[in-house]
Amino acid sequence: MTLAKIWGLKALSKPYEQACIDWAEQLLIAGNTSENVLILASLGLDQKPEYYDVERYFLLALQDLKVTEPDYFESIKCYGIYLCNQALTGELGLEKAANLLAEIYPSTNYDYDIFSIWTDLLDDLYLLENEDPYFDHPELTKTNQQAYIEKQIRHFAVLLSRDVPPDFMNRGLCHECQTLVKMEWRKKTRITGFQKVMQVFKLQKPVYCTECLTCGSTNITRLLTVEAREQALRILQK
């Protein structure tokens, strides 16, 4: 049991009492016999440990170890990396890891948009299972499903370790600007003067599309694949 899992469970408002007790037990095995660690580990003898007791001695044990709890988003990032590592070492099934990672995005009230990678992937896995051709991962097939999830997990661990902007997944690779740009679904702005007049007099309906907010181009690659996200990371590192 690692602190990364505890940070994540706490941040996502999931039960974490047993994780704290398991962590204390591991410290004891490793030779830590501080009073607060001993008390926290002993709470595992109770059939249903009290939340407030676990929280109290967990915080005291952290003080003994001079460990500071990370902030909200750092806690979630640490938990995401922990899940990826668990999957890659075989301690957690790939599909189970994908489901746990997908739970994070809605649990953050959709504030940590990098985790939308997993809600989108699960949607596509559902469509694939039901033989619906309309999904965003064209290279995903039933035969390579496990390998594809593993590839996504390996890349996601790297992605979490980098300092990417909060709106990373809402950006795209503009082929005209040749860089990573902000984009938006809006009325098409690259239209002729005649089309503008027709729209003003409501003789023609406006066309909506995803445009680059820098140049107005619609020639944008969304960050749906590992390859596109790796290219975006290279741009951010320049």
Side-chain angles (χ1 to χ4, degrees):
M1 182 58 58
T2 67
L3 283 172
K5 180 176 182 179
I6 298 172
W7 302 146
L9 294 176
K10 286 188 72 175
L12 298 171
S13 300
K14 293 185 175 182
Y16 62 92
E17 294 89 339
Q18 189 58 51
C20 292
I21 293 169
D22 292 344
W23 170 74
E25 290 175 351
Q26 289 180 0
L27 288 178
L28 285 179
I29 293 171
N32 186 315
T33 56
S34 72
E35 180 181 358
N36 292 310
V37 170
L38 280 167
I39 295 173
L40 179 56
S42 70
L43 294 175
L45 299 173
D46 297 342
Q47 188 172 4
K48 188 176 181 181
E50 289 290 335
Y51 164 80
Y52 294 105
D53 289 338
V54 173
E55 177 72 0
R56 176 189 176 191
Y57 289 104
F58 174 64
L59 294 177
L60 289 172
L62 290 179
Q63 290 177 18
D64 292 344
L65 295 169
K66 296 181 172 55
V67 174
T68 303
E69 185 172 348
D71 65 27
Y72 177 73
F73 285 109
E74 184 66 21
S75 294
I76 293 171
K77 182 172 79 170
C78 290
Y79 181 52
I81 294 173
Y82 164 80
L83 291 176
C84 290
N85 290 336
Q86 288 279 295
L88 295 175
T89 57
E91 297 175 68
L92 186 65
L94 293 172
E95 290 189 18
K96 178 65 174 177
N99 277 279
L100 289 172
L101 287 164
E103 288 177 3
I104 293 175
Y105 186 41
S107 296
T108 64
N109 292 318
Y110 305 97
D111 288 333
Y112 206 163
D113 82 343
I114 196 172
F115 283 91
S116 66
I117 289 171
W118 294 101
T119 52
D120 291 344
L121 179 57
L122 283 197
D123 286 345
D124 279 4
L125 289 171
Y126 174 81
L127 293 174
L128 177 67
E129 183 65 28
N130 289 276
E131 300 184 350
D132 189 321
Y134 300 104
F135 54 88
D136 293 322
H137 295 77
E139 66 273 38
L140 174 64
T141 66
K142 288 185 178 180
T143 55
N144 74 357
Q145 181 173 319
Q146 291 295 307
Y148 189 82
I149 294 174
E150 182 179 350
K151 179 182 177 181
Q152 295 285 333
I153 288 174
R154 287 187 183 280
H155 173 69
F156 194 66
V158 173
L159 201 59
L160 286 175
S161 67
R162 305 292 175 84
D163 187 21
V164 298
D167 61 346
F168 181 74
M169 290 305 297
N170 288 323
R171 300 192 183 196
L173 298 166
C174 177
H175 295 275
E176 291 194 24
C177 294
Q178 292 291 304
T179 190
L180 187 65
V181 298
K182 293 183 179 181
M183 57 186 184
E184 186 177 87
W185 175 261
R186 63 182 184 181
K187 290 181 183 179
K188 188 173 184 180
T189 57
R190 284 188 176 183
I191 58 177
T192 65
F194 175 72
Q195 288 173 317
K196 288 180 181 178
V197 171
M198 293 289 284
Q199 289 180 16
V200 167
F201 289 100
K202 298 183 178 180
L203 297 174
Q204 184 183 80
K205 291 183 178 179
V207 175
Y208 285 81
C209 59
T210 299
E211 286 189 343
C212 168
L213 293 181
T214 302
C215 72
S217 172
T218 58
N219 190 10
I220 300 171
T221 298
R222 295 175 60 199
L223 306 183
L224 296 175
T225 65
V226 168
E227 290 72 23
R229 293 194 290 271
E230 286 178 341
Q231 186 178 347
L233 285 176
R234 289 193 291 272
I235 291 171
L236 289 172
Q237 290 169 355
K238 289 181 180 178

